[in-house]
């Protein structure tokens, strides 16, 4: 009799409008709209062990939500729920290789609440980040491919009816800590954006234009940058880089844009080498932490900036006219520190090469001890503090990580993404700021899959080429813009049997002299001519990771640190660098689904007023 009495008390609280403080819903810090029509909204929050979701969907039928390894249905972790006749329901499912939806024996998703009005269904549910269930996807800091669906009717006896076209996928980083998101009330903004650029009918175009920063009467801080992507061009504008240019340019450089990296591009573009900001496809606005901003208005700050926009047009669409760009918010209320950006990883070059037909190939780009030691000892001996990282590769990229070493000992990973999605790239805010000290070194490690490729993949600008980069946002700003490496080319060529090159090199890439089978071929042609196999590709990978490398260590503008151009051997480090997975205990087989069968009235009352009663957890 005690349970019914307790239920009566719950209904008294609901009907009387009384709700003590413990009824209030916790704030969801993360939100996303999953479909293009704004009918499926997702909110979530998390702690060290659990994650809680809320879906608000324009339907009175069932709602489906899942985590997929590829973005498709196969091998997905799915939950389906809704509200039927005032009673919320939720079931944990998974799919097999044939995309068949199967009920999970371990119901690890917990229904928190459910409600329905005349147009929408709202569900709140939670689960552990790591459930120890082979049919549940572990949630980490890596990219997660979320799949979603909904139907106008509820679940039904045989199972959920086919959702039809009401479905989709979206990549998210569920455990990405959010930075301070409130723009200061005194913030103004300015836009830098292209003006009706005719996008060339080719797969890859880099378009550049120089802009002038608005004049300010004293130092101010840029505190937020958001993308302005022309509607309908979300899949065409792949990434945007903003560089600081020589302050002695004049306003005549501001007239027309031009294709970047083109033989006829203006000479002024060569003065724009220091990256100020980077944005990539799928990313949203970036807000700087409350104590950090990008300085404008002083003699060290940018007067002219170059915006480099990467247009990705693999289907050769014609008549594309684009006016995308960036919006920058700034304020006279100064932050404590000036922000900077360091580009680390593999120096973008044809010397970065990846053989075909390999399920796995690993490239390593080194920000060497020599470079960091020299720059930090002179500029900031106490170290700099990294607060966000953008990892970047192209279509063959599978996973990326930035490893941090101090005196040869590996520290916790600076950043990683074990499920990299080329179409979703954004800065990862670090949970805790990381200090880089003189003598530290970094390794940007990129894992590629070229199993479906018949020819070499080259380092380069096209999305069909490859990159292996990580952009570090840090403070306080120092005079270091690039800290990268590139393996030497000659021993890479020795691997395929090249013996001699023509010494009078007049063309790029240079020409091979011997052996006879490669005579008068460029090194790129020779590499493609070589008969690659998985075994040979793995052996080549082992060789390249041990080769001496050329150091790139750049200041602002076109100046270099003395470490630039050094030939050094890669540091000998243990091949660990794996993120630590949380351990978990097997949960009791008594889950919410069985509890609700026994106590539907109690749980209905719980779901209405959000009281976390033990029986309903």
């Amino acid at each position: 009799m005690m349970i019914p009495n307790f239920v009566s008390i719950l209904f008294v609280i609901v009907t009387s409008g009384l709700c003590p403080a413990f009824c209030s819903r916790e704030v969801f810090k993360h939100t996303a709209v999953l479909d293009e029509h704004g009918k499926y909204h997702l909110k979530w929050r998390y702690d060290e062990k659990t994650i809680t979701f809320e879906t608000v969907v324009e339907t009175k039928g069932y709602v489906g939500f899942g985590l997929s390894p590829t973005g498709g249905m196969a091998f997905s972790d799915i939950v389906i729920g809704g509200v039927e006749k005032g009673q919320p329901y939720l079931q944990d499912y998974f799919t097999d290789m044939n995309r068949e939806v199967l009920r999970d024996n371990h119901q690890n998703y917990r229904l928190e609440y459910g409600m329905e009005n005349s147009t929408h269904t709202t569900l709140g549910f939670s689960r552990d980040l790591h459930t120890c269930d082979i049919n549940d996807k572990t949630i980490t800091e890596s990219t997660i491919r979320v799949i979603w669906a909904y139907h106008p009717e509820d679940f039904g006896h045989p199972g959920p009816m086919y959702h039809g076209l009401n479905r989709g996928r979206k990549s998210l980083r569920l455990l990405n800590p959010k930075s301070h998101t409130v723009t200061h009330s005194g913030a103004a903004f300015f836009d830098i954006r292209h003006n009706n650029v005719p996008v060339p009918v080719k797969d890859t175009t880099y378009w550049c234009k120089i802009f002038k920063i608005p004049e300010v009467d004293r130092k101010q801080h840029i505190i937020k940058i958001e993308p302005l992507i022309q509607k309908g061009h979300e899949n065409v504008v792949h990434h945007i880089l903003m560089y600081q240019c020589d302050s002695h340019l004049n306003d005549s450089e501001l007239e027309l844009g031009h294709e970047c990296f083109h033989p006829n591009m203006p000479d002024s573009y060569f003065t724009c080498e220091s990256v100020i900001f980077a944005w990539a496809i799928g990313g949203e606005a970036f807000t700087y932490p409350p104590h950090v901003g990008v300085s404008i208005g002083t003699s060290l700050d940018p007067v002219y900036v170059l915006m480099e926009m990467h247009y990705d047009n693999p289907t050769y669409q014609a008549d594309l006219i684009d006016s995308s760009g960036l919006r920058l918010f700034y304020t006279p209320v100064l932050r404590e520190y000036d922000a900077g950006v360091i580009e680390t990883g593999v120096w973008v070059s044809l010397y970065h090469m990846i053989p075909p037909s390999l399920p796995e190939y690993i490239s390593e780009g080194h920000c060497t001890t020599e470079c960091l030691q020299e720059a930090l000892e002179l500029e900031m001996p106490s170290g700099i503090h990294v607060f966000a990282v953008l990892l970047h590769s192209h279509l063959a990229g599978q996973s990326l990580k930035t490893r941090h070493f101090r005196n040869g000992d590996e520290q916790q990973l600076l950043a990683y993404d074990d499920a990299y999605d080329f179409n979703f790239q954004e800065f990862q805010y670090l949970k805790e700021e990381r200090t880089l000290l003189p003598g530290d070194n970094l390794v940007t490690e990129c894992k590629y899959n070229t199993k479906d490729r018949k020819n070499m993949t080259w380092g380069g600008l096209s999305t069909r080429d490859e990159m292996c980069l990580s952009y570090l946002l840090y403070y306080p700003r120092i005079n270091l813009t690039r800290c990268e490496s590139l393996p030497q080319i000659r021993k890479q060529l020795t691997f395929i049997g090249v013996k001699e090159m023509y010494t009078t090199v007049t063309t790029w890439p240079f020409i091979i002299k011997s052996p006879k089978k490669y005579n008068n071929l460029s090194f790129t042609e020779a590499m493609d001519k070589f008969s690659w196999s998985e075994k040979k590709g793995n052996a080549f990978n082992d060789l390249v990771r041990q080769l001496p490398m050329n150091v790139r260590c750049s200041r602002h503008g076109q100046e270099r640190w003395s470490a630039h151009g050094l030939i050094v051997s890669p540091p000998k480090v243990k091949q660990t660098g794996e993120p630590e997975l949380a351990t978990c205990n097997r949960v009791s087989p008594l889950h919410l689904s069985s509890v609700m069968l026994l106590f539907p009235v109690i749980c209905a009352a719980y779901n209405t007023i959000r009281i976390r009663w033990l029986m309903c957890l």
Side-chain angles (χ1 to χ4, degrees), residues 444-490:
T444 302
E445 185 178 296
C446 300
K447 190 177 294 184
Y448 303 102
N449 183 332
T450 61
K451 203 165 180 60
D452 297 329
R453 300 191 178 191
K454 296 181 179 179
N455 294 314
M456 293 291 293
T457 296
W458 305 99
L461 302 175
S462 168
T463 53
R464 265 53 65 184
D465 296 331
E466 268 308 332
M467 294 184 180
C468 180
L469 298 172
S470 54
Y471 292 92
L472 313 183
L473 286 184
Y474 73 95
Y475 69 87
R477 179 179 59 178
I478 62 172
N479 196 0
L480 177 65
T481 60
R482 288 185 172 92
C483 185
E484 300 167 321
S485 72
L486 189 66
Q488 287 193 302
I489 183 64
R490 287 187 176 270

Coordinates of all heavy atoms in Angstrom, one line a residue, residues 444-490:
T444 N 51.9 15.2 -34.9 CA 50.5 15.1 -35.5 C 50.5 13.8 -36.3 O 51.3 13.7 -37.3 CB 50.2 16.3 -36.4 OG1 50.3 17.5 -35.6 CG2 48.8 16.2 -37.0
E445 N 49.7 12.9 -35.9 CA 49.6 11.6 -36.5 C 48.3 11.4 -37.3 O 47.2 11.6 -36.7 CB 49.8 10.5 -35.4 CG 49.9 9.1 -35.9 CD 50.0 8.1 -34.8 OE1 51.1 8.2 -34.1 OE2 49.1 7.3 -34.5
C446 N 48.4 11.0 -38.5 CA 47.2 10.9 -39.4 C 47.2 9.5 -40.0 O 48.2 9.0 -40.5 CB 47.2 11.9 -40.5 SG 47.2 13.6 -40.0
K447 N 46.1 8.8 -39.8 CA 45.9 7.4 -40.3 C 45.0 7.5 -41.6 O 43.9 8.1 -41.5 CB 45.3 6.5 -39.3 CG 45.3 5.1 -39.6 CD 44.7 4.2 -38.4 CE 45.6 4.3 -37.2 NZ 45.1 3.4 -36.1
Y448 N 45.5 6.9 -42.7 CA 44.7 7.0 -43.9 C 44.3 5.6 -44.4 O 44.9 4.6 -44.0 CB 45.6 7.6 -45.0 CG 46.2 9.0 -44.7 CD1 47.5 9.2 -44.3 CD2 45.3 10.1 -44.9 CE1 48.0 10.4 -44.0 CE2 45.8 11.4 -44.6 CZ 47.1 11.5 -44.1 OH 47.6 12.8 -43.9
N449 N 43.3 5.6 -45.3 CA 42.8 4.4 -45.9 C 42.8 4.7 -47.4 O 42.0 5.5 -47.9 CB 41.4 4.0 -45.4 CG 40.9 2.7 -46.1 OD1 41.3 2.3 -47.2 ND2 40.1 2.0 -45.4
T450 N 43.7 4.0 -48.2 CA 43.7 4.1 -49.7 C 43.3 2.9 -50.4 O 43.8 2.6 -51.5 CB 45.1 4.6 -50.1 OG1 46.1 3.6 -49.8 CG2 45.5 5.9 -49.5
K451 N 42.6 2.0 -49.7 CA 42.2 0.7 -50.3 C 41.6 0.8 -51.6 O 41.8 -0.1 -52.5 CB 41.3 -0.1 -49.3 CG 41.4 -1.6 -49.4 CD 40.8 -2.3 -48.2 CE 40.9 -3.8 -48.4 NZ 42.2 -4.3 -48.5
D452 N 40.8 1.8 -51.9 CA 40.1 1.9 -53.1 C 40.8 2.8 -54.2 O 40.2 3.1 -55.2 CB 38.7 2.5 -52.9 CG 37.8 1.6 -52.0 OD1 38.0 0.4 -52.1 OD2 37.0 2.1 -51.2
R453 N 42.0 3.1 -53.9 CA 42.8 4.0 -54.8 C 43.8 3.1 -55.6 O 44.5 2.3 -55.0 CB 43.5 5.1 -54.1 CG 42.5 6.0 -53.4 CD 43.1 7.3 -52.9 NE 42.1 8.1 -52.2 CZ 42.2 9.4 -51.8 NH1 43.4 10.0 -52.0 NH2 41.3 10.1 -51.3
K454 N 44.0 3.5 -56.9 CA 44.9 2.7 -57.7 C 46.3 3.4 -57.9 O 47.2 2.8 -58.3 CB 44.3 2.4 -59.1 CG 43.0 1.6 -59.0 CD 42.5 1.3 -60.4 CE 41.2 0.4 -60.3 NZ 40.6 0.2 -61.7
N455 N 46.3 4.7 -57.6 CA 47.5 5.5 -57.8 C 47.9 6.1 -56.5 O 47.2 6.1 -55.5 CB 47.3 6.6 -58.8 CG 47.1 6.0 -60.2 OD1 47.8 5.1 -60.7 ND2 46.1 6.5 -60.9
M456 N 49.2 6.7 -56.4 CA 49.7 7.3 -55.2 C 48.7 8.5 -54.9 O 48.1 9.1 -55.7 CB 51.1 7.9 -55.5 CG 52.1 6.8 -55.7 SD 52.5 5.9 -54.2 CE 53.2 7.2 -53.1
T457 N 48.6 8.8 -53.6 CA 48.0 10.0 -53.1 C 49.1 10.9 -52.6 O 50.0 10.5 -51.9 CB 47.1 9.6 -51.8 OG1 46.0 8.7 -52.3 CG2 46.5 10.9 -51.3
W458 N 49.0 12.1 -53.1 CA 50.1 13.1 -52.9 C 49.6 14.2 -51.8 O 48.5 14.5 -51.7 CB 50.5 13.8 -54.2 CG 50.8 12.9 -55.2 CD1 50.0 12.4 -56.3 CD2 52.1 12.2 -55.4 NE1 50.7 11.5 -57.0 CE2 52.0 11.3 -56.5 CE3 53.3 12.2 -54.7 CZ2 53.0 10.5 -57.0 CZ3 54.3 11.4 -55.1 CH2 54.2 10.6 -56.2
G459 N 50.6 14.7 -51.1 CA 50.3 15.8 -50.3 C 50.0 17.0 -51.2 O 50.7 17.3 -52.2
G460 N 48.9 17.7 -50.9 CA 48.6 18.9 -51.8 C 47.3 19.5 -51.4 O 46.7 19.2 -50.4
L461 N 46.8 20.4 -52.3 CA 45.7 21.2 -51.9 C 44.3 20.6 -52.3 O 43.3 20.9 -51.6 CB 45.8 22.6 -52.7 CG 47.1 23.4 -52.4 CD1 47.1 24.6 -53.3 CD2 47.1 23.8 -51.0
S462 N 44.2 19.8 -53.3 CA 43.0 19.2 -53.7 C 42.4 18.3 -52.6 O 43.2 17.6 -51.8 CB 43.1 18.4 -55.0 OG 42.0 17.6 -55.2
T463 N 41.1 18.1 -52.5 CA 40.5 17.2 -51.6 C 40.9 15.7 -51.9 O 40.8 14.9 -51.1 CB 39.0 17.3 -51.5 OG1 38.5 17.2 -52.9 CG2 38.6 18.6 -51.0
R464 N 41.3 15.5 -53.2 CA 41.8 14.2 -53.5 C 43.3 14.0 -53.2 O 43.8 12.9 -53.2 CB 41.6 13.9 -55.0 CG 40.3 13.2 -55.4 CD 39.0 13.8 -54.9 NE 38.8 15.1 -55.4 CZ 37.7 15.9 -55.0 NH1 36.9 15.4 -54.1 NH2 37.5 17.1 -55.5
D465 N 44.0 15.1 -52.9 CA 45.3 15.0 -52.3 C 45.1 14.9 -50.8 O 44.0 14.7 -50.3 CB 46.1 16.3 -52.6 CG 46.4 16.5 -54.1 OD1 46.4 15.5 -54.8 OD2 46.5 17.7 -54.5
E466 N 46.2 14.9 -50.0 CA 46.1 14.8 -48.6 C 46.9 15.9 -47.8 O 47.9 16.4 -48.3 CB 46.6 13.4 -48.1 CG 45.4 12.4 -48.1 CD 44.2 12.9 -47.3 OE1 44.4 13.7 -46.3 OE2 43.1 12.4 -47.6
M467 N 46.4 16.1 -46.6 CA 47.1 16.9 -45.6 C 47.1 16.2 -44.3 O 46.3 15.3 -44.1 CB 46.4 18.3 -45.5 CG 46.5 19.2 -46.7 SD 45.7 20.8 -46.4 CE 46.0 21.6 -48.0
C468 N 48.0 16.6 -43.4 CA 48.0 16.1 -42.1 C 48.4 17.3 -41.1 O 49.6 17.5 -40.9 CB 49.0 14.9 -41.9 SG 49.1 14.2 -40.3
L469 N 47.4 18.0 -40.7 CA 47.7 19.2 -40.0 C 46.9 19.3 -38.7 O 45.8 18.7 -38.6 CB 47.3 20.5 -40.8 CG 48.1 20.6 -42.1 CD1 47.4 21.7 -43.0 CD2 49.5 20.9 -41.9
S470 N 47.4 20.1 -37.7 CA 46.6 20.5 -36.5 C 46.9 21.9 -36.3 O 48.1 22.3 -36.2 CB 46.9 19.6 -35.3 OG 48.3 19.5 -35.0
Y471 N 45.8 22.7 -36.1 CA 46.0 24.1 -35.8 C 45.7 24.3 -34.3 O 44.7 23.9 -33.8 CB 44.9 24.9 -36.6 CG 45.2 24.9 -38.1 CD1 44.6 24.0 -38.9 CD2 46.0 25.9 -38.7 CE1 44.9 24.0 -40.3 CE2 46.3 25.9 -40.0 CZ 45.7 24.9 -40.8 OH 46.0 25.0 -42.2
L472 N 46.7 24.9 -33.6 CA 46.6 25.1 -32.2 C 46.3 26.5 -31.9 O 47.0 27.5 -32.3 CB 48.0 24.8 -31.5 CG 48.7 23.5 -31.9 CD1 50.0 23.3 -31.1 CD2 47.8 22.3 -31.8
L473 N 45.2 26.7 -31.2 CA 44.8 28.1 -30.7 C 45.4 28.2 -29.2 O 45.2 27.3 -28.4 CB 43.3 28.2 -30.6 CG 42.6 28.5 -31.9 CD1 41.1 28.7 -31.7 CD2 43.2 29.6 -32.7
Y474 N 46.1 29.2 -29.0 CA 46.9 29.3 -27.7 C 47.0 30.8 -27.3 O 46.6 31.7 -28.0 CB 48.3 28.7 -27.9 CG 49.2 29.6 -28.7 CD1 50.0 30.5 -28.1 CD2 49.1 29.6 -30.1 CE1 50.8 31.4 -28.9 CE2 49.9 30.4 -30.9 CZ 50.7 31.3 -30.3 OH 51.5 32.2 -31.0
Y475 N 47.5 31.0 -26.1 CA 47.9 32.3 -25.6 C 49.1 32.2 -24.7 O 49.3 31.1 -24.2 CB 46.7 33.0 -24.9 CG 46.3 32.3 -23.6 CD1 46.9 32.7 -22.4 CD2 45.4 31.3 -23.5 CE1 46.6 32.1 -21.2 CE2 45.0 30.7 -22.3 CZ 45.7 31.1 -21.2 OH 45.4 30.4 -20.0
P476 N 49.8 33.2 -24.3 CA 49.9 34.5 -25.0 C 50.5 34.4 -26.4 O 51.4 33.5 -26.6 CB 50.7 35.4 -24.1 CG 51.6 34.4 -23.3 CD 50.8 33.2 -23.2
R477 N 50.2 35.2 -27.3 CA 50.7 35.2 -28.7 C 52.2 35.4 -28.7 O 52.8 36.2 -28.1 CB 50.1 36.3 -29.5 CG 50.5 36.3 -31.0 CD 49.8 37.4 -31.7 NE 50.0 38.7 -31.1 CZ 49.5 39.9 -31.6 NH1 48.7 39.8 -32.7 NH2 49.8 41.0 -31.0
I478 N 52.9 34.5 -29.5 CA 54.3 34.6 -29.7 C 54.6 34.7 -31.2 O 53.7 34.4 -32.0 CB 55.1 33.5 -29.1 CG1 54.7 32.1 -29.7 CG2 54.9 33.4 -27.6 CD1 55.6 30.9 -29.2
N479 N 55.8 34.9 -31.6 CA 56.2 35.0 -33.0 C 56.6 33.6 -33.6 O 57.7 33.4 -34.0 CB 57.4 36.0 -33.2 CG 57.5 36.4 -34.6 OD1 56.7 36.0 -35.5 ND2 58.5 37.3 -34.9
L480 N 55.6 32.7 -33.6 CA 55.7 31.4 -34.2 C 54.4 31.0 -34.9 O 53.4 31.0 -34.3 CB 56.1 30.4 -33.1 CG 56.2 28.9 -33.6 CD1 57.4 28.7 -34.6 CD2 56.3 27.9 -32.4
T481 N 54.5 30.8 -36.2 CA 53.3 30.5 -37.0 C 53.2 29.1 -37.5 O 52.1 28.5 -37.6 CB 53.1 31.5 -38.1 OG1 54.3 31.3 -39.0 CG2 53.1 32.9 -37.7
R482 N 54.3 28.5 -37.9 CA 54.3 27.1 -38.4 C 55.5 26.3 -37.7 O 56.6 26.8 -37.6 CB 54.5 27.1 -39.9 CG 53.3 27.6 -40.7 CD 53.5 27.4 -42.2 NE 52.3 27.7 -42.9 CZ 52.0 28.8 -43.4 NH1 52.8 29.9 -43.2 NH2 50.9 29.0 -44.1
C483 N 55.1 25.1 -37.3 CA 56.1 24.2 -36.7 C 55.8 22.8 -37.3 O 55.0 22.1 -36.7 CB 55.9 24.2 -35.2 SG 57.1 23.3 -34.2
E484 N 56.5 22.5 -38.4 CA 56.1 21.3 -39.2 C 57.4 20.6 -39.6 O 58.5 21.0 -39.4 CB 55.3 21.8 -40.4 CG 54.0 22.5 -40.1 CD 53.4 23.2 -41.3 OE1 54.1 23.8 -42.1 OE2 52.1 23.1 -41.4
S485 N 57.1 19.5 -40.3 CA 58.3 18.7 -40.8 C 57.9 18.0 -42.1 O 56.7 17.9 -42.4 CB 58.7 17.6 -39.8 OG 57.8 16.6 -39.7
L486 N 58.9 17.5 -42.8 CA 58.7 16.8 -44.1 C 59.8 15.8 -44.2 O 61.0 16.1 -44.1 CB 58.7 17.8 -45.2 CG 58.2 17.2 -46.6 CD1 56.8 16.8 -46.6 CD2 58.5 18.2 -47.7
P487 N 59.4 14.5 -44.5 CA 60.5 13.5 -44.6 C 61.3 13.7 -45.9 O 60.8 14.2 -46.9 CB 59.7 12.1 -44.7 CG 58.4 12.5 -45.1 CD 58.1 13.9 -44.5
Q488 N 62.6 13.5 -45.9 CA 63.5 13.7 -47.0 C 63.0 12.8 -48.2 O 62.6 11.7 -48.0 CB 64.9 13.4 -46.7 CG 65.5 14.5 -45.8 CD 67.0 14.4 -45.7 OE1 67.5 13.4 -45.3 NE2 67.7 15.5 -46.1
I489 N 63.2 13.3 -49.4 CA 62.7 12.6 -50.6 C 63.6 11.5 -51.1 O 63.1 10.5 -51.6 CB 62.4 13.7 -51.7 CG1 61.8 13.0 -52.9 CG2 63.7 14.4 -52.1 CD1 60.5 12.4 -52.7
R490 N 64.9 11.6 -51.0 CA 65.8 10.7 -51.7 C 65.7 9.3 -51.3 O 65.7 8.4 -52.1 CB 67.3 11.2 -51.6 CG 67.6 12.4 -52.4 CD 69.1 12.8 -52.4 NE 69.3 13.9 -53.2 CZ 69.6 13.9 -54.5 NH1 69.7 12.7 -55.1 NH2 69.8 15.0 -55.2

